Amino acid sequence: MHAKFLSFAAALSVAAGAMAQETAVIATATGEPAVAVESSDIRIPENRVIYECFIRNFSPEGTFKAVEAQVGRLADLGVDVVWFMPIYKLGDQDKVGGENGFASPYAVKDYKAVNPDMGTEQDLRDLIKAIHDNGMEVWFDWVGNHTSTDNVWVESHPEYYADGFYHPHGWNDVWQLDVNNPEMQDAMIDAMQYWVDNFDIDGYRCDYASGPSTEFWKKATERVLKNGKRIAWLAEDDSKPELVGNGYFDYNYAWAFHDRLMDFAKSGDVDALRKATEELNSGDAYKGRSRLVYLSNHDTVQDKGGTEDYIFGKYLKPLTVLEFTVYGMPLLYNGQEIGFSTEPVSLGIQKAVDWSNPNEEMATLIKTLIGVKHSQPALYTSDMNGDFTTLPTSSDDKVLAYKRTAGNDNVVVMLNLSEDELPFTVNAQLPAGTYKDIFSGQVVNFTDNNSFVLPPLGYSLWLAE
């Protein structure tokens, strides 16, 4: 482990430090850490941060080479895993983007071919090598439930498809596979192994994981190996917790929790948000397992109102703090780390990230939070999951406070979800000892002090001195 400054600029001396009173602490909400946080270089499954990259929209070029140019920046940010949305050759007919647009990334024409719009196989290998050389993993996106309507299997293996060649869920650009066909399952597993063997990838995020059968995922997760060892598996699903509970998948989506976050953004109901955080941490089906927690991804941008700023508005910064400290593996999506903003946009339309005008405050906040996620065992997950406890306050209708605990390690988070400067007390026993808020630089002995002040929509994150 080594000391590491977790901001895009030097750590700041925060003016609020001069405002401390005997019984009140004022924390800033600038996103700039007042202190350096020691961050571990060790990348383990229990403290991963994953980055979803939609290559078409990551740059105006939409190519592997354009992503490769930013690999070093992603590594410096603290990303552990780069998940690429499908990089395979896509369908040429029934494109969701229309005649002048693009196919959905989830309408795959050939499971063993690279999308030529993104570059060559060698370009992809160079990109993966750059990611590995920078200490990160590569996960591909897998579409196991359906194919494009002109997939190579349509002619060569029509028996792989469900009777009647129908469009699942009204998705008119894809045909439903016969997910119980053992020959199709074997061909699917063979294709998954192809990318592990030939492109050295480290895991799969599996689209619509509740579509294929549980028996298929058992076979796939047992048979798709890298150098004889298990790879990583993320399920886009929360309807079948047994997929994680039985060990086939390492993570699934905390989908319902994201829905509760959206509910909160509309209602401002802090009590309901508090209950949602408790429920996220209490599911027996996920004991010793982990889940993906997110504010934004390609689906939310397309279907839920746009990027995270459109969805969460004034609450975005405190909810970003929550995303990285509440539970599980946090996700960043295509430009989220610089506050890239866009209204809803179809997966069949290119909307490239504008990297020229980053929101430095958001960038620094996220980099800081990744450093805390890596360095604090209380924020680990899976079988090292830190305990979660909400902390009652004198302003429970406006403040969400909680602590994560693992052994002697504690992280305390306080979020002011009102637009007023707010004095409050924490009406529960805080962990004993001296703690520092990484944002304000304030140092407090929790044994002697339970009174705090946060600015409007402010937040504090306390680590033991």
Side-chain angles (χ1 to χ4, degrees), residues 164-176:
F165 275 92
Y166 68 87
H167 303 299
H169 305 286
W171 301 332
N172 293 326
D173 58 336
V174 296
W175 293 132
Q176 174 68 48

Side-chain angles (χ1 to χ4, degrees), residues 266-286:
K266 296 173 183 176
S267 70
D269 187 339
V270 177
D271 286 334
L273 178 61
R274 181 178 298 106
K275 181 179 179 182
T277 63
E278 292 170 345
E279 290 176 348
L280 177 67
N281 279 272
S282 64
D284 288 342
Y286 300 104

Side-chain angles (χ1 to χ4, degrees), residues 13-21 24-30 34 437 439-443 453 455:
S13 296
V14 181
M19 301 171 67
Q21 303 172 9
V25 176
I26 299 178
T28 63
T30 65
D437 172 25
F439 296 112
S440 69
Q442 292 295 318
V443 178
V453 178

Side-chain angles (χ1 to χ4, degrees), residues 27-30 264 312-319 321 398 414-422 454-460:
T28 63
T30 65
F264 167 74
F312 299 112
K314 65 186 179 182
Y315 299 116
L316 177 57
K317 289 175 186 174
L319 291 183
V321 176
K398 298 178 179 179
M414 302 176 190
L415 309 176
N416 176 11
L417 298 167
S418 76
E419 295 185 84
D420 302 312
E421 181 175 278
L422 193 64
L454 282 171
L457 298 167
Y459 40 83
S460 56

Side-chain angles (χ1 to χ4, degrees), residues 74-242:
L74 293 177
D76 181 68
L77 183 65
V79 169
D80 302 293
V81 177
V82 182
W83 148 30
F84 290 123
M85 287 172 61
I87 53 78
Y88 321 107
K89 189 173 183 180
L90 302 179
D92 295 309
Q93 65 185 33
D94 305 316
K95 295 186 292 187
V96 296
E99 183 178 347
N100 297 317
F102 297 88
S104 164
Y106 296 93
V108 176
K109 184 173 184 175
D110 190 337
Y111 284 113
K112 289 187 176 182
V114 169
N115 184 342
D117 292 340
M118 297 179 180
T120 66
E121 288 190 356
Q122 188 57 50
D123 292 340
L124 179 56
R125 288 190 173 93
D126 291 344
L127 172 56
I128 293 170
K129 183 178 186 302
I131 292 170
H132 284 160
D133 287 349
N134 277 273
M136 299 179 287
E137 292 187 4
V138 177
W139 296 3
F140 277 9
D141 212 325
W142 196 259
V143 191
N145 183 72
H146 47 266
T147 76
S148 72
T149 54
D150 57 352
N151 186 280
V152 295
W153 285 353
V154 172
E155 295 294 331
S156 63
H157 289 285
E159 72 276 10
Y160 288 178
Y161 291 85
D163 289 343
F165 275 92
Y166 68 87
H167 303 299
H169 305 286
W171 301 332
N172 293 326
D173 58 336
V174 296
W175 293 132
Q176 174 68 48
L177 288 164
D178 178 0
V179 295
N180 295 310
N181 181 313
E183 289 77 20
M184 190 283 295
Q185 293 179 348
D186 289 343
M188 186 78 69
I189 291 170
D190 174 72
M192 299 178 92
Q193 186 67 53
Y194 169 83
W195 296 100
V196 175
D197 290 344
N198 293 281
F199 289 80
D200 197 29
I201 70 168
D202 307 290
Y204 281 108
R205 175 268 188 190
C206 298
D207 181 70
Y208 187 36
S210 60
S213 66
T214 300
E215 291 71 23
F216 167 73
W217 292 124
K218 181 179 187 298
K219 289 198 294 187
T221 57
E222 289 175 349
R223 287 167 49 184
V224 179
L225 304 174
K226 182 173 182 176
N227 299 322
K229 297 181 180 179
R230 176 183 168 87
I231 62 172
W233 296 87
L234 164 62
E236 189 209 16
D237 176 63
D238 70 351
S239 66
K240 292 184 176 181
E242 65 270 16

Side-chain angles (χ1 to χ4, degrees), residues 383-395:
D383 57 357
M384 297 173 67
N385 191 46
D387 292 334
F388 176 91
T389 308
T390 52
L391 302 172
T393 75
S394 59
S395 298

